[in-house]
Amino acid sequence: MATTVDLVPVWDQPNDIPEKWVESVDENVASKLPAGSQVKGIFRWGFSHWTRTAKIVTEQADGTQKLFFLKVTQDEVGKAMVWGEYESMNALHSISPELTPAPIARGTFAQADNVHFFLCQFMDMTGDLPDVDTSMKMLAKLHTQSSSPNGKYGFHVPTLHGRFPQFTEWTESWEDFFTKSIRMVFDNEERSQGPDKEVQHLCRETLSKVVPRLLRPLETGGRHIKPCLIHGDLWDGNTSTNRATDTPVIFDATCIYAHNELELAPMRPERHRMGKKYREAYFNHFDASPRKESHEPEAKTVGSQPQEDEDDRGALYCLQVNLQLTYIELQITVIVVGST
């Protein structure tokens, strides 16, 4: 039988955040818990490349047990990470509370002013990908019902991919916003990997030809799109299924108000399990093209035109996702796995 080869990223670097920060509940964290909460324990929970995470078990004033999720970071970059995540999850939860854990607080430890935290509702998840149709219907609803507070693209605080800020400055046009965003990504790639003539040529051609060709038509010739709130990093690792309700959950957001199709970019690489069938299901609920036969209300949402550029726009957005990985996960070791 033929052997198939895949490239599997394996994180093999130490976590710089000391474990001691999730071995007890700092008083500033405790102060954000509901009044009358008694902490019964804190336990390391989950895995993160750049943070420490834990589950806090409490007893409430009425005797019931309530669980909370804690994420801990350090230094100024870590502070920006939890600030951006808190504001992102707040924005998502305000529109789709059924899709997200409820954010509670962000702050700084009382015992260490360089240690910062994000606190939210604990949600027990199965670890399985969510149902394709249900999750994409909820995602399309989020995009449809959200709107930018000022009609522009961007976000009101910096949000980060890993430890790197993404472009979030308020911008009038999507072409202008994405041009600045992917230029920042190309610049970060060169700083991390060093100058490369082929990549520099790709950058010039992308900015001068590809972006105008694919994105300018979205907002010219009588066409328009609206800035939608997107999760910003929706892949296998940031979504799951709520064990109690068997419904989709999304978390670890890095939001911006953007073209809704940008949300689907992490679903294009074959290395991700959340792939083509999810993208196709999404357009069944968001896109009102002739291929949609249903006359349900959600099917009447206007999709992005020109529709014939949809796949090419997705490839452009995926280019940004793949370039980000060249510096966000620079320390990841890639191993070759063979199977028969």
Side-chain angles (χ1 to χ4, degrees), residues 23-110:
E23 291 175 347
S24 62
V25 179
D26 183 85
E27 64 179 88
N28 283 355
V29 175
S31 71
K32 301 298 183 182
L33 299 174
S37 296
Q38 294 185 31
V39 175
K40 295 299 183 179
I42 180 171
F43 307 92
R44 289 191 293 275
W45 191 268
F47 171 79
S48 173
H49 293 166
W50 303 282
T51 68
R52 292 289 179 185
T53 52
K55 175 174 68 173
I56 299 174
V57 180
T58 70
E59 183 178 300
Q60 298 300 293
D62 62 1
T64 60
Q65 185 185 81
K66 198 166 187 178
L67 308 177
F68 301 89
F69 177 79
L70 178 68
K71 178 179 289 188
V72 177
T73 68
Q74 61 187 12
D75 65 41
E76 287 303 306
V77 173
K79 185 177 183 179
M81 289 170 64
V82 295
W83 183 24
E85 182 172 359
Y86 175 73
E87 294 295 331
S88 293
M89 294 303 295
N90 250 339
L92 292 172
H93 194 73
S94 68
I95 299 167
S96 298
E98 71 283 359
L99 191 56
T100 57
I104 296 170
R106 66 171 178 90
T108 299
F109 272 27

Coordinates of all heavy atoms in Angstrom, one line a residue, residues 23-110:
E23 N -1.5 27.7 41.1 CA -1.5 26.7 42.2 C -2.4 27.3 43.4 O -2.7 26.6 44.3 CB -0.1 26.4 42.7 CG 0.6 25.6 41.7 CD 2.1 25.3 42.0 OE1 2.6 25.9 43.0 OE2 2.7 24.4 41.4
S24 N -2.7 28.6 43.3 CA -3.6 29.2 44.3 C -4.3 30.3 43.6 O -3.9 30.8 42.5 CB -2.8 29.8 45.5 OG -1.9 30.8 45.1
V25 N -5.4 30.8 44.2 CA -6.2 31.9 43.6 C -5.8 33.2 44.2 O -6.0 33.5 45.4 CB -7.7 31.6 43.9 CG1 -8.5 32.7 43.2 CG2 -8.1 30.3 43.3
D26 N -5.2 34.1 43.4 CA -4.8 35.4 43.8 C -6.0 36.2 44.3 O -7.1 36.0 43.8 CB -4.1 36.1 42.6 CG -3.6 37.5 43.0 OD1 -2.4 37.6 43.4 OD2 -4.3 38.5 42.7
E27 N -5.7 37.1 45.2 CA -6.9 37.8 45.8 C -7.6 38.7 44.8 O -8.8 39.0 44.9 CB -6.4 38.7 47.0 CG -5.4 39.8 46.7 CD -5.0 40.6 47.9 OE1 -4.0 40.2 48.6 OE2 -5.7 41.6 48.2
N28 N -6.9 39.2 43.8 CA -7.5 40.0 42.8 C -8.4 39.2 41.8 O -9.4 39.7 41.3 CB -6.5 40.8 41.9 CG -6.0 42.0 42.6 OD1 -6.4 42.3 43.7 ND2 -5.0 42.7 42.0
V29 N -8.0 37.9 41.6 CA -8.9 37.0 40.9 C -10.1 36.7 41.8 O -11.3 36.7 41.3 CB -8.2 35.7 40.5 CG1 -9.1 34.7 39.9 CG2 -7.0 36.0 39.6
A30 N -9.9 36.4 43.0 CA -11.0 36.0 43.9 C -12.0 37.2 44.0 O -13.2 36.9 44.2 CB -10.5 35.7 45.3
S31 N -11.5 38.4 44.0 CA -12.4 39.6 44.1 C -13.4 39.7 42.9 O -14.4 40.4 43.0 CB -11.6 40.8 44.2 OG -11.0 41.2 43.0
K32 N -13.1 39.0 41.8 CA -14.0 39.1 40.6 C -15.0 37.9 40.6 O -15.9 37.9 39.7 CB -13.1 39.0 39.4 CG -12.1 40.1 39.2 CD -12.7 41.5 39.2 CE -11.7 42.6 39.0 NZ -12.3 43.9 39.0
L33 N -14.9 37.0 41.5 CA -15.9 35.9 41.6 C -17.2 36.5 42.2 O -17.2 37.5 42.9 CB -15.3 34.8 42.5 CG -14.0 34.1 42.0 CD1 -13.5 33.1 43.0 CD2 -14.3 33.4 40.6
P34 N -18.3 35.8 42.0 CA -19.6 36.2 42.6 C -19.5 36.4 44.1 O -18.8 35.7 44.8 CB -20.5 35.1 42.2 CG -19.9 34.5 41.0 CD -18.5 34.6 41.2
A35 N -20.2 37.4 44.6 CA -20.2 37.7 46.0 C -20.6 36.4 46.8 O -21.5 35.7 46.4 CB -21.2 38.8 46.3
G36 N -19.9 36.1 47.8 CA -20.2 34.9 48.7 C -19.5 33.7 48.2 O -19.6 32.6 48.8
S37 N -18.7 33.7 47.1 CA -18.0 32.6 46.6 C -16.9 32.1 47.6 O -16.2 32.9 48.1 CB -17.3 32.8 45.3 OG -18.3 33.1 44.3
Q38 N -16.9 30.8 47.8 CA -15.8 30.2 48.6 C -15.0 29.3 47.7 O -15.5 28.4 47.1 CB -16.4 29.4 49.8 CG -17.1 30.2 50.8 CD -17.5 29.3 52.0 OE1 -16.8 28.3 52.4 NE2 -18.6 29.7 52.7
V39 N -13.7 29.6 47.6 CA -12.8 28.8 46.7 C -12.5 27.5 47.4 O -12.0 27.4 48.5 CB -11.5 29.6 46.4 CG1 -10.6 28.7 45.6 CG2 -11.8 30.9 45.6
K40 N -12.9 26.4 46.7 CA -12.6 25.1 47.2 C -11.4 24.4 46.6 O -10.9 23.4 47.1 CB -13.9 24.2 46.9 CG -15.1 24.6 47.7 CD -14.9 24.6 49.2 CE -16.1 25.0 50.0 NZ -15.9 24.9 51.4
G41 N -10.9 25.0 45.5 CA -9.7 24.4 44.8 C -9.4 25.0 43.5 O -10.3 25.7 42.9
I42 N -8.2 24.9 43.1 CA -7.8 25.3 41.7 C -6.9 24.2 41.1 O -6.1 23.7 41.8 CB -7.0 26.7 41.8 CG1 -6.6 27.1 40.4 CG2 -5.9 26.6 42.7 CD1 -6.1 28.5 40.3
F43 N -7.2 23.9 39.9 CA -6.6 22.7 39.2 C -6.1 23.1 37.8 O -6.8 23.8 37.1 CB -7.5 21.6 39.1 CG -8.2 21.2 40.4 CD1 -9.4 21.8 40.8 CD2 -7.5 20.3 41.3 CE1 -10.0 21.4 42.0 CE2 -8.1 20.0 42.5 CZ -9.3 20.5 42.9
R44 N -4.9 22.8 37.5 CA -4.4 23.0 36.1 C -5.3 22.4 35.1 O -5.8 21.2 35.3 CB -3.0 22.5 36.0 CG -1.9 23.3 36.7 CD -0.5 23.0 36.3 NE -0.2 21.6 36.7 CZ 0.3 21.3 37.9 NH1 0.5 22.2 38.8 NH2 0.6 20.1 38.2
W45 N -5.6 23.1 34.1 CA -6.6 22.6 33.1 C -6.3 23.1 31.7 O -6.0 24.2 31.5 CB -8.0 23.1 33.5 CG -9.1 22.5 32.7 CD1 -9.7 22.9 31.6 CD2 -9.8 21.3 33.1 NE1 -10.7 22.0 31.2 CE2 -10.8 21.0 32.1 CE3 -9.7 20.4 34.2 CZ2 -11.6 19.9 32.2 CZ3 -10.6 19.3 34.3 CH2 -11.5 19.1 33.2
G46 N -6.2 22.1 30.8 CA -6.0 22.5 29.4 C -4.5 22.7 29.1 O -3.6 22.5 29.9
F47 N -4.3 23.1 27.9 CA -2.9 23.3 27.4 C -2.9 24.7 26.6 O -3.8 25.0 25.9 CB -2.5 22.2 26.4 CG -1.2 22.5 25.7 CD1 0.0 22.3 26.3 CD2 -1.3 22.9 24.4 CE1 1.2 22.5 25.6 CE2 -0.1 23.2 23.7 CZ 1.1 23.0 24.3
S48 N -1.8 25.4 26.8 CA -1.6 26.7 26.1 C -0.1 26.8 25.8 O 0.7 26.5 26.7 CB -2.2 27.8 26.9 OG -1.8 29.1 26.3
H49 N 0.2 27.4 24.7 CA 1.6 27.6 24.3 C 2.2 28.8 25.2 O 3.4 28.7 25.5 CB 1.8 28.0 22.9 CG 1.4 26.9 21.9 ND1 1.2 27.1 20.6 CD2 1.3 25.5 22.1 CE1 0.9 25.9 20.0 NE2 1.0 25.0 20.9
W50 N 1.4 29.8 25.4 CA 2.0 31.0 26.0 C 1.3 31.5 27.3 O 1.6 32.5 27.8 CB 1.7 32.2 25.0 CG 2.3 31.9 23.7 CD1 3.7 32.0 23.3 CD2 1.7 31.5 22.5 NE1 3.9 31.7 22.0 CE2 2.7 31.3 21.4 CE3 0.3 31.2 22.1 CZ2 2.4 30.9 20.2 CZ3 0.0 30.8 20.9 CH2 1.0 30.7 19.9
T51 N 0.5 30.6 27.9 CA -0.2 31.0 29.1 C -0.3 29.8 30.0 O 0.1 28.6 29.6 CB -1.6 31.5 28.9 OG1 -2.4 30.4 28.4 CG2 -1.6 32.6 27.9
R52 N -0.7 30.0 31.3 CA -1.1 28.9 32.2 C -2.6 29.0 32.3 O -3.1 30.0 32.5 CB -0.4 29.0 33.5 CG 1.1 28.8 33.5 CD 1.5 27.3 33.2 NE 2.9 27.2 33.2 CZ 3.5 26.0 32.9 NH1 2.8 24.9 32.6 NH2 4.8 25.9 32.9
T53 N -3.2 27.8 32.4 CA -4.7 27.8 32.5 C -5.1 26.8 33.6 O -4.5 25.8 33.9 CB -5.3 27.3 31.2 OG1 -4.8 26.1 30.7 CG2 -5.1 28.4 30.1
A54 N -6.3 27.2 34.2 CA -6.7 26.4 35.4 C -8.2 26.5 35.5 O -8.9 27.4 35.0 CB -6.1 26.9 36.6
K55 N -8.7 25.5 36.3 CA -10.2 25.5 36.6 C -10.3 25.8 38.1 O -9.6 25.2 38.9 CB -10.8 24.1 36.4 CG -12.2 23.9 36.8 CD -12.8 22.6 36.4 CE -12.2 21.4 37.1 NZ -12.9 20.1 36.8
I56 N -11.1 26.8 38.4 CA -11.4 27.2 39.8 C -12.7 26.6 40.3 O -13.7 26.8 39.6 CB -11.4 28.7 40.0 CG1 -10.0 29.3 39.6 CG2 -11.7 29.1 41.4 CD1 -10.0 30.8 39.6
V57 N -12.7 25.9 41.4 CA -13.9 25.3 41.9 C -14.4 26.1 43.1 O -13.6 26.4 44.0 CB -13.7 23.8 42.4 CG1 -15.0 23.2 43.0 CG2 -13.2 23.0 41.2
T58 N -15.6 26.5 43.1 CA -16.2 27.4 44.2 C -17.5 26.8 44.7 O -18.2 26.1 44.0 CB -16.4 28.8 43.8 OG1 -17.5 28.9 42.9 CG2 -15.2 29.4 43.1
E59 N -17.8 27.2 46.0 CA -19.1 26.9 46.5 C -19.8 28.3 46.7 O -19.2 29.2 47.2 CB -19.0 26.2 47.9 CG -20.4 25.9 48.5 CD -20.3 25.2 49.8 OE1 -19.6 24.1 49.8 OE2 -20.7 25.7 50.8
Q60 N -21.0 28.4 46.1 CA -21.7 29.7 46.2 C -22.5 29.8 47.5 O -22.6 28.9 48.3 CB -22.7 29.8 45.0 CG -21.9 29.7 43.7 CD -21.0 30.9 43.5 OE1 -21.4 32.0 43.4 NE2 -19.7 30.6 43.4
A61 N -23.0 31.0 47.7 CA -23.7 31.3 49.0 C -24.9 30.4 49.2 O -25.2 30.1 50.3 CB -24.1 32.8 49.0
D62 N -25.5 29.9 48.1 CA -26.6 29.0 48.2 C -26.3 27.5 48.3 O -27.1 26.6 48.3 CB -27.6 29.2 47.1 CG -27.0 28.9 45.7 OD1 -25.8 28.5 45.7 OD2 -27.7 29.1 44.7
G63 N -24.9 27.3 48.4 CA -24.5 25.9 48.6 C -24.2 25.2 47.3 O -23.7 24.0 47.3
T64 N -24.5 25.8 46.1 CA -24.2 25.1 44.8 C -22.7 25.3 44.4 O -22.1 26.2 44.9 CB -25.1 25.7 43.7 OG1 -24.8 27.1 43.6 CG2 -26.6 25.5 44.1
Q65 N -22.3 24.4 43.6 CA -20.9 24.5 43.1 C -20.9 25.3 41.8 O -21.8 25.1 40.9 CB -20.4 23.1 42.8 CG -18.9 23.1 42.4 CD -18.4 21.7 42.0 OE1 -18.6 21.2 40.9 NE2 -17.8 21.0 43.0
K66 N -19.9 26.1 41.6 CA -19.8 26.9 40.4 C -18.3 26.8 40.0 O -17.4 27.0 40.8 CB -20.3 28.3 40.5 CG -20.5 29.0 39.2 CD -21.3 30.3 39.4 CE -21.7 30.9 38.1 NZ -22.6 32.1 38.3
L67 N -18.1 26.7 38.7 CA -16.7 26.5 38.1 C -16.3 27.7 37.3 O -17.2 28.3 36.6 CB -16.6 25.2 37.3 CG -17.0 23.9 38.0 CD1 -16.9 22.8 37.0 CD2 -16.3 23.7 39.3
F68 N -15.0 28.1 37.3 CA -14.5 29.2 36.5 C -13.3 28.8 35.8 O -12.5 27.9 36.3 CB -14.3 30.4 37.4 CG -15.5 30.9 38.1 CD1 -15.9 30.4 39.4 CD2 -16.4 31.8 37.5 CE1 -17.0 30.8 40.0 CE2 -17.5 32.2 38.2 CZ -17.9 31.7 39.4
F69 N -13.0 29.4 34.7 CA -11.8 29.2 33.9 C -10.9 30.4 34.1 O -11.3 31.5 33.9 CB -12.1 29.0 32.4 CG -10.9 28.8 31.6 CD1 -10.3 27.5 31.5 CD2 -10.4 29.8 30.8 CE1 -9.2 27.3 30.7 CE2 -9.3 29.6 30.0 CZ -8.7 28.4 29.9
L70 N -9.6 30.1 34.4 CA -8.6 31.1 34.6 C -7.4 31.0 33.6 O -6.9 29.9 33.4 CB -8.0 31.1 36.0 CG -6.9 32.1 36.4 CD1 -7.5 33.5 36.4 CD2 -6.3 31.7 37.7
K71 N -7.1 32.1 33.0 CA -5.9 32.1 32.1 C -4.9 33.1 32.6 O -5.3 34.3 32.9 CB -6.3 32.4 30.6 CG -5.1 32.5 29.7 CD -5.6 32.9 28.3 CE -6.3 31.7 27.6 NZ -6.6 32.0 26.2
V72 N -3.6 32.8 32.8 CA -2.6 33.6 33.4 C -1.5 33.9 32.4 O -1.0 32.9 31.7 CB -2.1 33.0 34.7 CG1 -1.0 33.9 35.3 CG2 -3.2 32.8 35.7
T73 N -1.1 35.1 32.3 CA 0.0 35.5 31.4 C 1.0 36.4 32.2 O 0.7 36.8 33.4 CB -0.4 36.3 30.2 OG1 -1.0 37.6 30.6 CG2 -1.5 35.5 29.4
Q74 N 2.1 36.8 31.6 CA 2.9 37.8 32.3 C 3.6 38.8 31.3 O 3.5 38.5 30.1 CB 4.0 37.1 33.1 CG 5.0 36.2 32.2 CD 5.9 35.4 33.1 OE1 5.8 35.3 34.3 NE2 6.9 34.8 32.5
D75 N 4.1 39.8 31.8 CA 4.7 41.0 31.1 C 3.7 41.8 30.3 O 2.5 41.5 30.3 CB 5.9 40.5 30.2 CG 5.5 39.6 29.0 OD1 4.5 39.8 28.3 OD2 6.3 38.7 28.7
E76 N 4.2 42.8 29.6 CA 3.3 43.7 28.9 C 2.6 43.1 27.7 O 1.4 43.4 27.4 CB 4.0 45.0 28.4 CG 4.4 45.9 29.5 CD 3.2 46.4 30.3 OE1 2.3 46.9 29.7 OE2 3.2 46.2 31.6
V77 N 3.2 42.2 27.0 CA 2.6 41.4 25.9 C 1.5 40.6 26.5 O 0.4 40.5 25.9 CB 3.6 40.6 25.1 CG1 2.9 39.7 24.1 CG2 4.6 41.5 24.4
G78 N 1.7 39.9 27.6 CA 0.7 39.1 28.2 C -0.5 39.9 28.6 O -1.6 39.5 28.5
K79 N -0.2 41.1 29.1 CA -1.3 42.0 29.5 C -2.2 42.3 28.4 O -3.4 42.4 28.4 CB -0.7 43.3 30.2 CG -1.8 44.2 30.7 CD -1.1 45.4 31.4 CE -2.1 46.4 32.0 NZ -1.4 47.5 32.7
A80 N -1.6 42.6 27.2 CA -2.3 42.9 26.0 C -3.1 41.7 25.5 O -4.2 41.9 25.0 CB -1.4 43.4 24.9
M81 N -2.5 40.5 25.7 CA -3.2 39.3 25.3 C -4.6 39.2 26.0 O -5.6 38.9 25.4 CB -2.3 38.1 25.5 CG -1.2 38.0 24.6 SD 0.0 36.7 25.1 CE -1.0 35.2 24.9
V82 N -4.5 39.3 27.4 CA -5.8 39.0 28.1 C -6.7 40.2 28.0 O -8.0 40.0 28.0 CB -5.5 38.8 29.6 CG1 -4.7 37.4 29.7 CG2 -4.7 39.9 30.3
W83 N -6.2 41.4 27.8 CA -7.1 42.5 27.5 C -7.9 42.3 26.2 O -9.1 42.5 26.1 CB -6.3 43.8 27.5 CG -7.0 45.1 27.3 CD1 -8.4 45.3 27.6 CD2 -6.6 46.3 26.7 NE1 -8.7 46.6 27.3 CE2 -7.7 47.3 26.7 CE3 -5.3 46.7 26.2 CZ2 -7.5 48.6 26.3 CZ3 -5.2 48.0 25.8 CH2 -6.3 48.9 25.8
G84 N -7.1 42.0 25.2 CA -7.7 41.7 23.9 C -8.7 40.6 23.9 O -9.8 40.6 23.3
E85 N -8.4 39.5 24.6 CA -9.3 38.4 24.7 C -10.5 38.7 25.5 O -11.6 38.3 25.0 CB -8.6 37.2 25.3 CG -9.5 35.9 25.4 CD -8.8 34.7 25.9 OE1 -7.6 34.7 26.1 OE2 -9.5 33.6 26.0
Y86 N -10.4 39.4 26.5 CA -11.6 39.8 27.3 C -12.5 40.7 26.5 O -13.7 40.4 26.5 CB -11.2 40.6 28.6 CG -12.3 41.1 29.4 CD1 -13.1 40.2 30.1 CD2 -12.6 42.5 29.4 CE1 -14.2 40.7 30.9 CE2 -13.7 43.0 30.1 CZ -14.5 42.1 30.8 OH -15.6 42.6 31.5
E87 N -12.0 41.7 25.8 CA -12.8 42.5 25.0 C -13.4 41.8 23.8 O -14.6 42.0 23.4 CB -12.0 43.7 24.5 CG -11.6 44.7 25.6 CD -12.8 45.4 26.3 OE1 -13.8 45.6 25.7 OE2 -12.6 45.7 27.5
S88 N -12.7 40.8 23.3 CA -13.2 40.0 22.2 C -14.3 39.1 22.6 O -15.4 39.1 22.0 CB -12.1 39.1 21.6 OG -11.1 39.9 20.9
M89 N -14.1 38.4 23.7 CA -15.2 37.5 24.2 C -16.4 38.3 24.7 O -17.5 37.8 24.5 CB -14.6 36.6 25.3 CG -13.5 35.7 24.9 SD -14.0 34.6 23.5 CE -15.3 33.6 24.4
N90 N -16.2 39.5 25.2 CA -17.3 40.3 25.6 C -18.2 40.7 24.4 O -19.4 40.6 24.4 CB -16.8 41.6 26.2 CG -17.1 41.7 27.7 OD1 -18.0 41.0 28.2 ND2 -16.4 42.5 28.5
A91 N -17.5 41.1 23.3 CA -18.2 41.5 22.1 C -19.0 40.3 21.5 O -20.1 40.4 21.1 CB -17.2 42.0 21.1
L92 N -18.3 39.1 21.4 CA -19.0 37.9 20.9 C -20.2 37.5 21.8 O -21.3 37.2 21.3 CB -18.0 36.7 20.8 CG -16.9 36.9 19.8 CD1 -15.9 35.7 20.0 CD2 -17.4 36.9 18.4
H93 N -19.9 37.5 23.1 CA -21.0 37.0 24.1 C -22.2 38.0 24.1 O -23.3 37.5 24.3 CB -20.4 36.9 25.5 CG -21.2 36.2 26.4 ND1 -21.4 34.8 26.4 CD2 -22.0 36.5 27.4 CE1 -22.2 34.4 27.3 NE2 -22.6 35.4 28.0
S94 N -22.0 39.2 23.8 CA -23.1 40.2 23.8 C -24.1 39.9 22.6 O -25.2 40.2 22.7 CB -22.6 41.6 23.7 OG -22.0 41.9 22.4
I95 N -23.5 39.3 21.6 CA -24.4 38.9 20.4 C -24.8 37.5 20.4 O -25.9 37.2 20.0 CB -23.6 39.3 19.1 CG1 -23.2 40.7 19.0 CG2 -24.4 38.9 17.8 CD1 -22.2 41.1 18.0
S96 N -23.9 36.6 20.7 CA -24.2 35.1 20.7 C -23.8 34.5 22.0 O -22.9 33.7 22.1 CB -23.4 34.5 19.5 OG -23.8 35.0 18.3
P97 N -24.6 34.7 23.1 CA -24.3 34.2 24.4 C -24.3 32.6 24.4 O -23.6 32.0 25.2 CB -25.3 34.8 25.3 CG -26.4 35.2 24.4 CD -25.8 35.6 23.1
E98 N -25.1 32.1 23.5 CA -25.2 30.6 23.5 C -24.0 30.0 22.8 O -23.8 28.7 22.9 CB -26.5 30.2 22.7 CG -26.4 30.4 21.2 CD -26.6 31.9 20.7 OE1 -26.8 32.8 21.6 OE2 -26.5 32.2 19.5
L99 N -23.1 30.8 22.2 CA -22.0 30.2 21.5 C -20.7 30.4 22.2 O -19.7 29.8 21.8 CB -21.9 31.0 20.1 CG -20.9 30.5 19.0 CD1 -21.2 29.0 18.7 CD2 -21.0 31.4 17.8
T100 N -20.7 31.1 23.3 CA -19.4 31.5 24.0 C -19.5 31.3 25.5 O -20.6 31.6 26.1 CB -19.0 32.9 23.7 OG1 -20.1 33.8 24.1 CG2 -18.7 33.1 22.2
P101 N -18.4 31.0 26.2 CA -18.4 31.1 27.7 C -18.5 32.6 28.1 O -18.0 33.5 27.3 CB -17.0 30.6 28.1 CG -16.5 29.8 26.8 CD -17.1 30.5 25.7
A102 N -19.2 32.8 29.2 CA -19.4 34.2 29.6 C -18.1 34.8 30.2 O -17.5 34.2 31.1 CB -20.5 34.3 30.6
P103 N -17.5 35.9 29.6 CA -16.3 36.5 30.2 C -16.7 37.2 31.5 O -17.8 37.8 31.6 CB -15.9 37.5 29.1 CG -17.2 37.8 28.4 CD -18.0 36.6 28.4
I104 N -15.8 37.2 32.4 CA -16.1 37.8 33.7 C -15.2 39.0 34.0 O -15.6 40.1 34.4 CB -16.0 36.8 34.9 CG1 -17.0 35.7 34.6 CG2 -16.1 37.4 36.2 CD1 -16.8 34.5 35.5
A105 N -13.9 38.8 33.8 CA -13.0 39.9 34.2 C -11.6 39.7 33.6 O -11.2 38.6 33.2 CB -12.8 40.0 35.7
R106 N -10.8 40.7 33.5 CA -9.4 40.7 33.3 C -8.7 41.6 34.3 O -9.4 42.5 34.9 CB -9.1 41.3 31.9 CG -9.4 42.7 31.7 CD -8.8 43.3 30.4 NE -9.2 44.7 30.3 CZ -8.4 45.7 30.7 NH1 -7.3 45.5 31.3 NH2 -8.8 47.0 30.5
G107 N -7.5 41.3 34.6 CA -6.8 42.1 35.6 C -5.4 41.7 35.9 O -4.8 40.9 35.1
T108 N -4.8 42.2 37.0 CA -3.4 42.0 37.3 C -3.4 41.4 38.7 O -4.2 41.8 39.6 CB -2.6 43.3 37.3 OG1 -2.7 43.8 35.9 CG2 -1.2 43.1 37.7
F109 N -2.5 40.5 39.0 CA -2.4 39.8 40.3 C -2.0 40.8 41.3 O -1.2 41.8 41.1 CB -1.3 38.7 40.2 CG -1.8 37.4 39.8 CD1 -2.9 37.2 39.0 CD2 -1.2 36.2 40.2 CE1 -3.4 36.0 38.6 CE2 -1.6 35.0 39.8 CZ -2.7 34.9 39.0
A110 N -2.5 40.6 42.5 CA -2.2 41.5 43.7 C -0.7 41.2 44.1 O 0.0 42.1 44.5 CB -3.1 41.2 44.8

